């Protein structure tokens, strides 16, 4: 069992930046690919970014490419999402998720992720 705890959300003005963190429990973090998803009010949860278990490969949704960066520190069991040039449409609850198929490439669908955090709210004011 893996527990994921997100932090770093908050209220920011458009054009600003935030850094989300997701801390994982357990000793097998470095074997999991990690993903970030978001869900805006009234909308379905959508893929944001993914990083493979080694950190060698990353994938992004087109809507965040060039503005968001996913990274991980396997020594700290933590994955990060650096968000820059934030827009009002980035407002959502952001979730991190762990995929036990750590080497698999591509964004992978929601159902591929085995563990989920509780989410952290990001609100971007325009």
């Amino acid at each position: 069992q893996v527990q994921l705890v997100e932090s770093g959300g908050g209220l920011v003005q458009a054009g600003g930046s935030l850094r989300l963190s997701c801390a994982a429990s357990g000793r097998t973090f470095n074997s999991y690919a990690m993903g970030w998803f978001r869900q805006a009010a009234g909308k379905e949860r959508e893929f944001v970014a993914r990083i493979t278990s080694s950190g060698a490969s990353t994938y992004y949704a087109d809507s965040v490419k060039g503005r968001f960066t996913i990274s991980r520190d396997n020594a700290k069991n933590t994955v990060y999402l650096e968000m820059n040039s934030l827009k009002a449409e980035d407002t959502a609850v952001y979730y991190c998720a762990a995929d036990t198929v750590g080497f698999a490439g591509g964004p992978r669908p929601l159902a591929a992720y085995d563990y989920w955090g509780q989410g952290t709210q990001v609100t971007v004011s325009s």
Side-chain angles (χ1 to χ4, degrees):
Q1 190 73 13
V2 174
Q3 291 187 330
L4 304 174
V5 180
E6 301 96 336
S7 61
L11 174 64
V12 63
Q13 288 189 332
S17 299
L18 279 176
R19 187 195 199 199
L20 305 183
S21 299
C22 172
S25 65
R27 294 173 290 179
T28 54
F29 176 78
N30 60 5
S31 69
Y32 298 150
M34 298 298 296
W36 284 98
F37 292 79
R38 66 186 182 186
Q39 187 166 17
K43 295 188 177 181
E44 293 186 350
R45 194 170 298 190
E46 64 176 7
F47 169 78
V48 174
R50 173 182 171 92
I51 186 166
T52 53
S53 55
S54 67
S57 298
T58 57
Y59 307 88
Y60 297 93
D62 288 343
S63 59
V64 306
K65 205 170 292 183
R67 300 188 298 121
F68 290 11
T69 302
I70 188 171
S71 61
R72 66 189 298 158
D73 185 337
N74 285 344
K76 295 183 178 179
N77 280 17
T78 301
V79 63
Y80 305 97
L81 185 69
E82 184 76 34
M83 305 185 295
N84 298 314
S85 302
L86 283 161
K87 305 175 181 179
E89 52 262 43
D90 294 318
T91 295
V93 177
Y94 283 71
Y95 299 89
C96 70
D99 178 0
T100 55
V101 185
F103 58 87
R108 300 262 286 168
L110 269 71
Y113 292 82
D114 303 280
Y115 304 101
W116 291 83
Q118 83 290 347
T120 185
Q121 176 71 47
V122 171
T123 302
V124 183
S125 63
S126 56

